[in-house]
Amino acid sequence: MRTLKTGLETHETLFAATRRQAERALEFHGRHGRFLRFVDTHQKWMLLHLIADIDAGNGDGIAVNWIAQRAHDLGIASRNTTLAFFGQLAGYGYLVQRDSRTDRRMRLVSLSRETEEVLAEWVLGLAASLNPSLAVERDLGLDGERAVYKELYLPTISALLDTQQFLHPPVDVSLMQDIRGGWLVMNHLLCGVEHSQCRNDTVLIPDFTLAEHARQYAMSRSTIYRLFRLAEEAAVVGWRAPGNPPMLWMSGYHLRQYCRWNGRLLAVVHSAMDKALATVSTYAPANPHYFFPAGDDVRAPATRSA
């Protein structure tokens, strides 16, 4: 197994921010569960961000075929997958479709205002994960959800779409992120990891049952059982018997892999916050690093070497 060029102290710092993010992600799901049923994989999140990035908040609409080609070029999804996803979002009002005024054969799409508001709330949660003591909207001089969307969300996803290591996660990470609802499972597991365990080779997750989790997050049993069967085969998770129920464990290597992959997302949010702070002359934080105490070490998550 390949080793990681990083210190465990840096991992502890990144784990703390990642765990805070996981807690906020589950709260976010509680408020927007209906919307998140349609954006339940890493691929779908990237397609949603791609629309926002290309439209850049103008609301004028972008040609569907052009976005589909861009998604294909970035390796996010095939043309047919992209078009099917857009049709689903439009059917429930999360995407606005219209005819082009100059070419009736061309269909334009843009995010609905409701979707933009949800995405603004999403990036605020990420920012709060980096620094819980920061009043993000006030301290960054962002007046309302529209300002958050334009000044914080759009710069974040623009940089994110240029980050190949985040677009294409490591194999063990994509296992959880590419199955419907897998992101919920991973966030739930993270919330069960004590900070004192994050250095361990094997991390124990107490009080976890597949049936209860499926009910809690409205996942089908077949989906969650398939997810865990694949994860067990990849040695990402397993069950420690005897016990009733058996104790779930997670590989410490997988935990570090996930934190580094997710750290790339937190790093681009950090950068967007820095840029927003630079325009607010009245705010001078006592500690300018949102990843404390090792902010500079975490901004560029570690890479693997043979």
Side-chain angles (χ1 to χ4, degrees):
M1 180 178 291
R2 293 188 288 181
T3 58
L4 297 165
K5 298 192 300 185
T6 184
L8 288 176
E9 293 79 10
T10 300
H11 169 62
E12 284 188 344
T13 303
L14 185 51
F15 170 75
T18 302
R19 192 180 189 277
R20 287 194 297 268
Q21 179 194 347
E23 293 169 349
R24 285 172 171 79
L26 295 181
E27 294 170 359
F28 181 71
H29 176 266
R31 293 189 297 273
H32 302 290
R34 180 177 181 271
F35 170 78
L36 293 173
R37 285 204 305 270
F38 302 101
V39 194
D40 54 4
T41 65
H42 175 65
Q43 179 189 65
K44 291 177 179 178
W45 267 110
M46 291 300 100
L47 288 174
L48 193 67
H49 294 328
L50 186 61
I51 301 172
D53 181 55
I54 296 173
D55 192 39
N58 296 320
D60 297 331
I62 306 296
V64 172
N65 289 339
W66 196 92
I67 302 176
Q69 184 60 49
R70 179 64 175 153
H72 178 268
D73 293 343
L74 289 172
I76 297 174
S78 69
R79 172 186 169 85
N80 287 342
T81 297
T82 301
L83 295 178
F85 175 59
F86 289 175
Q88 187 179 42
L89 286 183
Y92 285 86
Y94 297 121
L95 201 65
V96 177
Q97 291 186 331
R98 61 175 67 86
D99 292 326
S100 170
R101 291 190 294 268
T102 57
D103 188 344
R104 290 289 182 179
R105 296 169 299 177
M106 186 181 298
R107 295 286 290 171
L108 305 179
V109 295
S110 60
L111 299 180
S112 69
R113 181 55 60 89
E114 178 185 356
T115 302
E116 290 183 352
E117 290 173 355
V118 172
L119 293 175
E121 184 179 336
W122 171 77
V123 80
L124 283 176
L126 294 176
S129 301
L130 295 174
N131 189 342
S133 65
L134 187 71
V136 180
E137 292 179 85
R138 183 197 68 202
D139 292 338
L140 300 186
L142 302 174
D143 185 15
E145 290 175 337
R146 190 63 181 169
V148 171
Y149 182 82
K150 286 197 169 187
E151 304 300 327
L152 189 57
Y153 170 74
L154 289 179
T156 293
I157 56 103
S158 179
L160 199 62
L161 290 166
D162 285 334
T163 307
Q164 286 295 313
Q165 297 94 332
F166 186 82
L167 281 180
H168 306 290
V171 174
D172 59 323
V173 174
S174 66
L175 178 67
M176 287 283 192
Q177 301 302 310
D178 290 338
I179 293 181
R180 297 188 62 181
W183 71 278
L184 273 174
V185 173
M186 190 61 196
N187 283 313
H188 186 96
L189 295 181
L190 284 168
C191 291
V193 178
E194 296 296 333
H195 189 82
S196 59
Q197 288 196 71
C198 72
R199 289 172 172 239
N200 297 352
D201 291 335
T202 301
V203 178
L204 299 179
I205 313 292
D207 303 322
F208 183 90
T209 64
L210 297 181
E212 177 61 29
H213 188 89
R215 284 194 297 271
Q216 184 175 358
Y217 297 113
M219 296 176 66
S220 70
R221 287 200 177 193
S222 61
T223 297
I224 197 169
Y225 276 93
R226 175 173 173 265
L227 172 62
F228 272 81
R229 176 176 56 80
L230 294 174
E232 285 187 72
E233 291 174 356
V236 169
V237 299
W239 300 95
R240 175 173 291 182
N244 190 19
M247 176 75 76
L248 179 70
W249 59 261
M250 180 196 300
S251 160
Y253 176 78
H254 174 69
L255 177 62
R256 290 188 289 274
Q257 281 280 80
Y258 178 84
C259 286
R260 287 182 181 84
W261 171 75
N262 186 70
R264 300 182 188 279
L265 169 60
L266 296 178
V268 296
V269 176
H270 184 191
S271 177
M273 291 171 69
D274 276 346
K275 291 176 182 177
L277 276 173
T279 66
V280 184
S281 59
T282 58
Y283 180 72
N287 180 354
H289 297 306
Y290 307 116
F291 289 113
F292 37 80
D296 290 330
D297 293 334
V298 180
R299 288 192 187 203
T303 57
R304 297 181 296 175
S305 65

